[in-house]
């Protein structure tokens, strides 16, 4: 019962309150209050909007001012940069002009130097020719029986060269009992038997002595011996690398010259004093045109020989320096005529 009473009482209060509110709406008082509150809120919002518009206008004004200031600064910087570029361009043009002038002066100096060098070379050539002529004339003037084929009788005031040998009364030439110096016989590479003539073999007047007379004809022969090395080539299936067996030492190029050819060309050029061109021509003629060695290859033989004999050269020089006495050659001197 108490719960129902409390619930009904609560409903009655609510109904009473709602009735009062309805009466207020019916009388228009509530609308007036609500209108006044709305107008007050609307006025507050309008004031806030005006304030914000003012702040936005100030911000726009400051932004415009700042943009104008930055634009002015950028224009000033661009103008200064343009002036700096113009200055650099003028300096660059001046430097290019100076460089061109310097190159022109250098070329002119080179041309003058070339002309002077040619003139100097011409003068030195003429001087060497004149020196050669002078030496030749001096040699012709100083020729006598000691340094030429001129007889000593043509020299004014000449003295007879005394012969210090004692006279033996023997005839010139080989003396009886002197051992003969015969030519050395060689091992024959081929033998040819000459049959005895019938007038000696079948004659009763001649009998064989049992002695065989032999005489040799020694010739030399130059053959071109070519040894060709060949080996199969293989290729890797993935890397495509080509490989083959190693060739012997010294076999590098498609055509290589052996040691005998190099030694022969080196000795002709250095020991026999044959010119490089003549060595090439001589070997070509000697082999019937089969072997023609370039002058560049012959010219490099001396360097190869020197590099390969460095150890022997050092030992020889060390032996000379460590020797107690070092002699010089006096073969050009003349003693007692």
């Amino acid at each position: 019962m108490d719960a129902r009473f409390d619930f009904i009482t609560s409903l009655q209060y609510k109904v009473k309150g709602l009735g009062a509110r309805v009466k207020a709406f019916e009388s228009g008082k509530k609308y007036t209050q609500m209108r006044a509150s709305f107008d007050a809120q609307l006025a507050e919002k309008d004031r806030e909007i005006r304030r914000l518009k003012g702040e936005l206008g100030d911000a726009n004004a400051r932004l415009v001012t700042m943009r104008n200031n930055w634009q002015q600064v950028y224009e000033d910087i661009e103008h200064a940069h343009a002036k700096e570029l113009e200055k650099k361009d003028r300096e660059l043009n001046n430097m290019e002009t100076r460089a061109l002038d310097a190159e022109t002066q250098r070329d002119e100096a080179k041309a003058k130097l070339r002309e002077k060098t040619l003139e100097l070379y011409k003068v030195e050539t003429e001087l060497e020719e004149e020196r050669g002529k002078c030496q030749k004339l001096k040699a012709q003037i100083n020729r006598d029986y000691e340094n030429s084929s001129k007889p000593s009788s043509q020299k004014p005031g000449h003295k007879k060269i005394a012969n210090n040998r004692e006279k033996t009364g023997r005839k010139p030439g080989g003396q009886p009992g002197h051992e003969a110096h015969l030519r050395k016989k060689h091992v024959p590479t081929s033998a040819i038997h000459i049959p005895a003539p019938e007038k000696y073999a079948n004659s009763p007047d001649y009998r064989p002595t049992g002695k065989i007379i032999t005489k040799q004809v020694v010739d030399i022969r130059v053959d071109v011996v070519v040894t060709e090395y060949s080996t199969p080539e293989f290729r890797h299936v993935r890397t495509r690398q080509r490989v083959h067996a190693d060739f012997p030492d010294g076999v590098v190029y498609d055509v290589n010259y052996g040691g005998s050819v190099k030694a022969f060309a080196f000795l002709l050029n250095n020991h026999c004093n044959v010119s490089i061109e003549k060595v090439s021509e001589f070997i070509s003629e000697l082999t019937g045109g089969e072997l023609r060695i370039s002058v560049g290859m012959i010219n490099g033989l001396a360097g190869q020989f020197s590099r390969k004999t460095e150890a022997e050269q050092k030992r020889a020089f060390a032996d000379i320096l460590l020797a107690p006495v070092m002699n010089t050659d006096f073969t050009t001197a003349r003693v007692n005529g």
Side-chain angles (χ1 to χ4, degrees), residues 202-248:
N202 299 326
S203 175
D205 296 331
Y206 296 95
R207 293 181 180 180
T209 62
K211 183 179 179 180
I212 304 298
I213 306 300
T214 60
K215 295 185 179 182
Q216 294 182 343
V217 177
V218 181
D219 285 326
I220 60 173
R221 181 178 61 188
V222 178
D223 294 330
V224 178
V225 180
V226 180
T227 303
E228 185 175 69
Y229 296 90
S230 62
T231 182
E233 184 184 52
F234 297 88
R235 183 165 57 188
H236 198 279
V237 295
R238 290 188 299 274
T239 62
R240 315 300 291 175
Q241 181 183 6
R242 298 176 182 269
V243 295
H244 55 75
D246 294 333
F247 286 92

Side-chain angles (χ1 to χ4, degrees), residues 29-42:
K29 186 178 179 180
K30 187 66 176 177
Y31 288 109
T32 303
Q33 293 177 352
M34 292 176 65
R35 182 69 182 178
S37 177
F38 175 74
D39 292 339
Q41 293 179 0
L42 183 62

Side-chain angles (χ1 to χ4, degrees), residues 107-125:
D107 294 338
E108 292 177 354
K110 282 186 176 180
K112 292 180 180 179
L113 179 61
R114 190 180 300 108
E115 293 177 357
K116 295 296 182 181
T117 304
L118 293 175
E119 292 179 0
L120 178 61
Y121 178 75
K122 183 178 179 181
V123 172
E124 289 181 350
T125 303

Side-chain angles (χ1 to χ4, degrees), residues 16-207:
K16 187 176 180 179
L18 291 174
R21 292 180 65 182
V22 171
K23 287 181 181 180
F25 278 110
E26 288 178 350
S27 63
K29 186 178 179 180
K30 187 66 176 177
Y31 288 109
T32 303
Q33 293 177 352
M34 292 176 65
R35 182 69 182 178
S37 177
F38 175 74
D39 292 339
Q41 293 179 0
L42 183 62
E44 182 66 22
K45 295 296 181 182
D46 289 339
R47 286 193 298 273
E48 186 176 0
I49 289 172
R50 286 193 298 272
R51 182 179 61 80
L52 292 175
K53 285 183 177 180
E55 293 178 356
L56 180 62
D58 294 339
N60 289 333
R62 289 195 298 272
L63 181 63
V64 171
T65 302
M66 187 179 297
R67 185 172 62 245
N68 292 334
N69 292 336
W70 276 110
Q71 184 69 25
Q72 184 64 35
V73 171
Y74 175 75
E75 290 178 354
D76 294 341
I77 293 174
E78 186 178 11
H79 183 66
H81 182 63
K83 287 185 176 180
E84 190 68 22
L85 287 179
E86 291 179 358
K87 181 179 178 181
K88 296 296 183 183
D89 290 339
R90 288 193 300 271
E91 293 178 356
L92 181 60
N93 291 330
N94 293 332
M95 293 177 66
E96 289 179 353
T97 303
R98 292 172 60 186
L100 291 175
D101 294 339
E103 289 180 358
T104 303
Q105 295 176 2
R106 183 197 63 186
D107 294 338
E108 292 177 354
K110 282 186 176 180
K112 292 180 180 179
L113 179 61
R114 190 180 300 108
E115 293 177 357
K116 295 296 182 181
T117 304
L118 293 175
E119 292 179 0
L120 178 61
Y121 178 75
K122 183 178 179 181
V123 172
E124 289 181 350
T125 303
E126 294 177 353
L127 179 60
E128 289 297 328
E129 291 178 354
E130 295 299 328
R131 285 178 178 175
K133 293 179 181 179
C134 183
Q135 291 179 357
K136 184 177 180 181
L137 292 174
K138 286 182 178 180
Q140 291 178 356
I141 294 173
N142 296 327
R143 280 192 306 175
D144 56 13
Y145 66 97
E146 294 182 350
N147 54 22
S148 68
S149 60
K150 293 175 64 176
S152 59
S153 59
Q154 293 186 3
K155 181 180 179 180
H158 68 279
K159 295 181 180 180
K160 184 177 180 180
I161 299 175
N163 189 351
N164 298 327
R165 291 183 300 175
E166 296 180 359
K167 295 183 179 182
T168 60
R170 291 179 294 184
K171 295 181 179 180
Q175 302 300 319
H178 178 72
E179 183 181 357
H181 297 284
L182 302 177
R183 295 177 182 176
K184 178 184 176 182
K185 284 195 173 183
H186 303 270
V187 178
T189 55
S190 63
I192 300 176
H193 178 69
I194 302 175
E198 294 183 359
K199 62 179 180 178
Y200 302 142
N202 299 326
S203 175
D205 296 331
Y206 296 95
R207 293 181 180 180

